[in-house]
Amino acid sequence: MLNTEMFNYDLPQEYIAQTPVEPRDHSRLMVYDRGDKSTRHLHFYDLIDYLAPGDALVINQTRVLPARLFGTNAKSGGAIEVLLLTRHDIDTWEVLVRPGKKARIGTRISFGPELTATVTGILDDGQRMVHFEYDGVFEEILDRLGQTPLPPYITQRLEDRERYQTVYARENGSAAAPTAGLHFTPELLQRIKDKGVKVIPVLLHVGLGTFRPVKVEDVTKHKMHSEFYSISPEAANEINAVKAAGGRIFAVGTTTTRVLETASDDGGMLHSGSGWTDIFIYPGYRFKCIDSLITNFHLPQSTLIMLVSALCSREEILGLYETAKQMNYRFFSFGDAMLIL
C-alpha cells in the first residue's frame, strides 16, 4: 500500500515564505537532473540556460479571482465568510462557507446592497452551492467587494494583490494561483522566446482541493476535486509539433502538468478541447506528455508532493527537500523554485 505518511516531512514555520522576492525572477532555483542525479543551486533567471531552441515552455494562464467575500446572514446579522471555488453556471457557485453551521439550505447572505446569495445545496464534503443575485456585471462587483484568497500559511498582508498573479494571467477562474509561474517576469519570458523556445498557454482553473492534505491512509483511495481545463487547437498543434521535432516539453507547475497529462493519449499525442479533470498523479504513473517540470516546494502529504514524486521518486524528492531546508530555501507559494530535468 502507498501510505500517505510516506509523503510527510518536517518543516519548521520559519521556512515558509511570507513575502514574495523582488524582482520575481531573483528567487532561488534548485535544478535536479534525473539522469545523473546532480543538484545545482542557482537563481530563477538561470532557467533560460536549461532551455534550448525548439523546446516548449507551457504555462497556465488562469487568473485568481478576488474570491473571498465577507457578508452577513440576512436574518440573524451574523458574520459569514464565503470563498468561491467552482462556477457551475452563470450565477451558481460551489463555495466554502465559514461558519458552515450557519449556512443551511435557504440561508440568505448579504454582501451589501448590490450582491446577495442564497444557499441552495449542501455537498457531501460540507461545501455549499449558492445562487447569487445582483444588479450589474458579477465580475465587476466581485472585483470591488472580493479579496484575493491567500493560503492560510501566509499570515502577512499582501499590499499588491497582483503579486499573487502570474504576469501572464488572462482568464479569471482560480481560487489559488499556479504558483510556479509567479517567478516569471515579462523580460525573462521575452528572453526565452528570443532564444527560440515556444511559450504556449493552456488553462486550468485551480481549486483548493489540489492543495489540501490527503487524509486517507491509502493514497490510492484519495478522490481529487474536479477542475476546469481548456487547450486550444493552436496550443495542441504547437506542442505536438515540438514533440515530433524532438523538442522537450517544460511544464510550468503541477497545474499545467495536470492539463497536459489529462489531454494526452497513451501515445503522447495531445488533444485540444475543454472539460473537467480529476486526474490524480502519484508514484507509479507513467507520464505521457511532459519532459521537465518547473515547480515550487509543496506541503507535506499533499497531492502535489505526490505528483513530483511520480516524476522522480519519493526518496529523491524527500531528499531534495531536506537539502532545501539545509540551504535555507523558502517554501510554498511565495517560496523558491525547483527545476526537474
Side-chain angles (χ1 to χ4, degrees):
M1 181 176 75
L2 200 58
N3 195 296
T4 300
E5 182 61 29
M6 296 167 63
F7 298 90
N8 200 7
Y9 68 93
D10 178 60
L11 186 70
Q13 190 74 21
E14 60 264 26
Y15 288 96
I16 301 174
Q18 294 295 319
T19 56
V21 169
E22 295 294 347
R24 290 173 181 251
D25 61 0
H26 280 54
S27 57
R28 297 174 71 187
L29 178 69
M30 178 187 287
V31 180
Y32 180 65
D33 190 318
R34 290 175 290 163
D36 62 15
K37 311 298 184 186
S38 64
T39 305
R40 298 188 69 189
H41 305 282
L42 306 168
H43 288 92
F44 196 81
Y45 50 74
D46 295 311
L47 170 69
I48 192 169
D49 296 334
Y50 293 89
L51 294 160
D55 289 339
L57 184 77
V58 187
I59 58 176
N60 179 8
Q61 62 180 1
T62 190
R63 185 172 176 83
V64 183
L65 288 165
R68 178 165 277 130
L69 290 164
F70 296 92
T72 57
N73 185 310
K75 185 176 181 180
S76 70
I80 294 182
E81 178 184 343
V82 172
L83 180 64
L84 306 182
L85 298 178
T86 305
R87 194 174 205 161
H88 285 252
D89 62 41
I90 189 66
D91 295 326
T92 303
W93 286 77
E94 180 180 339
V95 303
L96 187 66
V97 180
R98 297 191 183 99
K101 64 182 180 180
K102 300 292 186 181
R104 300 181 178 91
I105 292 177
T107 299
R108 286 180 59 79
I109 305 167
S110 173
F111 305 100
E114 57 187 337
L115 182 67
T116 59
T118 302
V119 178
T120 58
I122 302 176
L123 305 179
D124 290 341
D125 55 7
Q127 290 166 190
R128 269 54 174 176
M129 297 297 295
V130 301
H131 182 268
F132 283 99
E133 297 174 14
Y134 50 91
D135 291 320
V137 178
F138 181 78
E139 287 75 10
E140 294 177 357
I141 296 170
L142 187 63
D143 196 54
R144 287 195 297 272
L145 300 181
Q147 295 184 13
T148 300
L150 294 177
Y153 48 75
I154 295 177
T155 58
Q156 294 191 24
R157 180 179 175 83
L158 183 65
E159 296 300 329
D160 178 11
R161 70 182 188 182
E162 282 299 305
R163 197 55 185 80
Y164 193 58
Q165 305 280 7
T166 63
V167 297
Y168 46 75
R170 295 293 180 271
E171 298 190 37
N172 279 327
S174 280
T179 56
L182 295 178
H183 305 283
F184 286 93
T185 63
E187 294 77 15
L188 178 58
L189 285 169
Q190 189 58 54
R191 288 174 57 213
I192 288 170
K193 293 175 183 177
D194 291 344
K195 191 173 183 178
V197 176
K198 289 188 176 294
V199 178
I200 304 172
V202 296
L203 179 72
L204 183 135
H205 288 323
V206 187
L208 293 184
T210 301
F211 300 94
R212 286 177 173 160
V214 176
K215 295 183 178 180
V216 294
E217 184 178 359
D218 182 353
V219 167
T220 65
K221 303 299 183 184
H222 176 70
K223 174 64 176 174
M224 292 285 286
H225 286 72
S226 293
E227 296 165 311
F228 179 80
Y229 78 92
S230 180
I231 301 174
S232 70
E234 295 78 14
N237 290 339
E238 281 192 296
I239 291 168
N240 288 329
V242 167
K243 290 181 71 70
R248 297 168 298 169
I249 305 301
F250 285 73
V252 179
T254 57
T255 63
T256 300
T257 299
R258 295 179 69 240
V259 177
L260 297 177
E261 294 300 315
T262 294
S264 293
D265 61 30
D266 289 338
M269 180 69 69
L270 183 67
H271 299 274
S272 62
S274 61
W276 296 84
T277 179
D278 61 358
I279 188 172
F280 180 22
I281 297 174
Y282 53 86
Y285 180 85
R286 181 176 175 271
F287 286 87
K288 298 174 289 188
C289 185
I290 76 163
D291 298 296
S292 296
L293 173 65
I294 300 160
T295 189
N296 280 17
F297 296 91
H298 301 297
L299 286 164
Q301 299 184 333
S302 64
T303 61
L304 306 182
I305 196 171
M306 294 172 188
L307 185 154
V308 295
S309 296
L311 193 60
C312 300
S313 72
R314 181 185 68 88
E315 294 80 8
E316 285 173 287
I317 288 297
L318 292 180
L320 292 169
Y321 276 40
E322 285 302 314
T323 298
K325 287 194 292 182
Q326 292 167 15
M327 299 194 66
N328 294 312
Y329 275 74
R330 292 152 39 96
F331 280 62
F332 308 156
S333 295
F334 289 143
D336 298 314
M338 178 188 293
L339 168 62
I340 303 174
L341 294 168

